[in-house]
Amino acid sequence: MPIPSALITLLLGMALVLAGLWVGYNVSLLPVDASSNAPVYDALFRVLFSIGTILFIGIVGLLLFSLVRFRRREGDLADGAAIEGNLPLEIVWTAIPAVVVLFVGIYSYDIYERMGGMTPLNDHSAMHANHSALGSAEQPGTAAAIQAGSVSIQAAAVAPTGDGPSTGDGKPPSRVWAGIGAGSDQQGALSVDLTAMQFAFIFHYPQANIISGELHVPIDRQVALRMEARDVIHAFWVPQFRLKQDVIPGQPTLLNFTATRPGTYPIVCAELCGPYHGGMRSSVVVHEPADFEAWLSKNTPAPPPTVASSNSTPTA
Ligand SMILES: [Cu+2]
């Protein structure tokens, strides 16, 4: 007795879904996960990779099958059968992608929300408050340039130094922050200021007064990266953290993360920002807490020498 073709189709479909799920959950295309965000993101990626694998094998498999099964036989010079329209089939092939896309969209939104990325960037009242805060904090010329959207290197150069996102004296900045985790509780977080410019990331540790070209953070402690751009839009991206956040002139952004794996990972500018954009890279070093404290004390600048302490030993 021949096996009904509907049964074969069903079995093939089940095998296809299982194969796609196996690939999605066992083949890893991502670099190591080094932040608390990474597992959340990776769960989404595995689902997307499974769906992509199922579609790829299904479509390419059917294509190859049809090429062989329905090829022109020798001596067959007739036209193919004229087939026009199949309403149930069209409904099914519209409904399945619609459900898949809707599911992926809702799931992605949920993941981004759980990462704390849904702070409204388009809130215009927040933008206005931010602009007026900028205007009061900086020289009028610079503020005007920023408001006109024509920030240049010259405008950045006349901005007072130390005008980083946080004032350094522990006072919370008066600006409106947007970005990943901007709405979350940042008590106890390590606060680091990031200034992005063509073509470098500069990190400033306000408490220790360290300025560094490399980001150093302790493991398992929340870091609040307060980011501002001096010239054009840049993007701070650490693939191992699964985090990317734009750094925007005139719109300070915040990126909260907790590193979970010691090591050195690349920081990449992920926004085409000029001719040397490809060279705009740095590193983030995740330390064990003791190593981080050692790095802090090693790099904290010595207090300016006074007359009374002029005979102290010079620092190495
Ligand atoms: Cu850049």
Side-chain angles (χ1 to χ4, degrees):
M1 191 184 93
I3 308 168
S5 65
L7 186 62
I8 294 177
T9 310
L10 182 69
L11 288 174
L12 279 176
M14 285 164 64
L16 179 63
V17 169
L18 288 175
L21 287 173
W22 187 90
V23 170
Y25 281 81
N26 288 281
V27 178
S28 177
L29 298 179
L30 294 166
V32 293
D33 55 327
S35 89
S36 57
N37 272 295
V40 181
Y41 174 91
D42 290 4
L44 170 66
F45 185 83
R46 278 192 284 272
V47 170
L48 296 182
F49 194 30
S50 296
I51 294 174
T53 307
I54 292 167
L55 289 176
F56 179 79
I57 297 178
I59 291 167
V60 174
L62 207 58
L63 195 72
L64 293 176
F65 170 79
S66 302
L67 279 174
V68 175
R69 175 73 177 76
F70 304 110
R71 70 189 186 278
R72 189 180 70 84
R73 310 293 165 136
E74 212 168 319
D76 178 6
L77 297 173
D79 287 342
I83 301 168
E84 195 193 323
N86 186 328
L87 193 60
L89 204 60
E90 283 163 19
I91 289 172
V92 167
W93 288 142
T94 308
I96 290 177
V99 168
V100 169
V101 168
L102 208 62
F103 166 75
V104 167
I106 292 172
Y107 189 25
S108 303
Y109 183 97
D110 175 56
I111 295 283
Y112 200 50
E113 169 115 72
R114 275 197 268 162
M115 284 183 169
M118 295 315 295
T119 318
L121 256 179
N122 295 325
D123 184 346
H124 288 280
S125 60
M127 293 287 284
H128 277 291
N130 181 47
H131 275 311
S132 37
L134 268 177
S136 64
E138 298 192 28
Q139 292 164 359
T142 312
I146 289 169
Q147 276 168 339
S150 62
V151 185
S152 63
I153 293 175
Q154 287 80 2
V158 298
T161 53
D163 184 48
S166 101
T167 45
D169 54 10
K171 220 168 55 188
S174 58
R175 302 183 187 176
V176 175
W177 297 85
I180 292 176
S184 75
D185 178 26
Q186 286 143 39
Q187 290 297 8
L190 171 70
S191 185
V192 182
D193 300 338
L194 160 62
T195 306
M197 63 187 77
Q198 290 170 319
F199 296 92
F201 294 107
I202 308 291
F203 301 96
H204 177 225
Y205 293 73
Q207 282 82 27
N209 199 23
I210 296 172
I211 292 176
S212 168
E214 231 178 25
L215 178 60
H216 289 253
V217 297
I219 192 172
D220 293 334
R221 180 173 168 197
Q222 193 190 354
V223 177
L225 203 54
R226 296 151 174 276
M227 313 197 287
E228 272 195 308
R230 282 279 180 235
D231 34 43
V232 299
I233 301 178
H234 302 272
F236 175 92
W237 179 36
V238 179
Q240 284 78 1
F241 288 176
R242 316 282 193 268
L243 284 174
K244 189 190 281 176
Q245 173 63 53
D246 276 5
V247 194
I248 307 164
Q251 169 60 69
T253 48
L254 185 72
L255 180 65
N256 275 289
F257 65 89
T258 304
T260 54
R261 192 189 293 270
T264 302
Y265 310 108
I267 296 170
V268 183
C269 180
E271 189 75 60
L272 182 59
C273 60
Y276 298 104
H277 158 71
M280 186 166 167
R281 284 170 158 257
S282 179
S283 298
V284 51
V285 183
V286 180
H287 295 281
E288 296 289 352
D291 294 343
F292 178 70
E293 291 304 324
W295 178 84
L296 269 188
S297 49
K298 185 171 154 238
N299 287 278
T300 303
T306 56
V307 181
S309 65
S310 59
N311 56 351
S312 63
T313 51
T315 50

